[in-house]
Amino acid sequence: MYEIWLGVNILYELAWMYAPLVCGVTIMLALGYGLAWQRGGQWRAALTRALTVASVTGLVSVLLLPTLTRSSLAEMGYWIDWLNLLLISAGVGVLCGLLVWPFAAMRQAGVCPLGKGRCGGAH
């Protein structure tokens, strides 16, 4: 029972520590998807670009995440270490893909997310 309580307490403290980051990313997602929906983004056409960004980011994070925790790939000896690394990297990739998708959809539609004109043209 003590281990469960300790795990819940750690999750609670981590939630408070990363709350500003989570709120900021949530606001960015809401604004991006709101703008793309309002301006008629081409969602299906932009999906390949978002999936490409997600997969590249996920692969790069597999290599970078151990270094960020002052570890290395050579120190990963157990299967649970690899599973955690792959799942965290997949989460980073999915998040980056979700952040890129609305802006790629607006770009596919020719709508500039920063102004009233068309992308690539004079404003």
Side-chain angles (χ1 to χ4, degrees):
M1 184 69 186
Y2 174 75
E3 290 83 7
I4 295 172
W5 179 249
L6 181 63
V8 169
N9 197 7
I10 289 171
L11 287 175
Y12 177 77
E13 292 296 327
L14 284 172
W16 274 110
M17 187 169 65
Y18 290 110
L21 179 66
V22 170
C23 289
V25 169
T26 304
I27 290 170
M28 285 174 37
L29 282 169
L31 287 175
Y33 281 92
L35 281 173
W37 185 266
Q38 179 184 18
R39 297 182 182 188
Q42 300 295 321
W43 296 99
R44 191 174 299 253
L47 185 61
T48 56
R49 183 172 289 168
L51 288 175
T52 302
V53 168
S55 59
V56 168
T57 306
L59 289 174
V60 168
S61 66
V62 166
L63 300 174
L64 293 181
L65 280 175
T67 331
L68 294 174
T69 59
R70 295 186 183 132
S71 182
S72 70
L73 290 175
E75 293 180 18
M76 311 247 321
Y78 298 104
W79 66 271
I80 194 71
D81 296 335
W82 286 101
L83 181 66
N84 283 331
L85 176 64
L86 292 176
L87 289 176
I88 292 169
S89 297
V92 169
V94 166
L95 180 62
C96 287
L98 286 174
L99 286 169
V100 165
W101 194 18
F103 297 104
M106 285 189 282
R107 185 175 172 95
Q108 292 288 339
V111 178
C112 184
L114 300 177
K116 296 181 180 177
R118 308 294 258 173
C119 280
H123 295 285

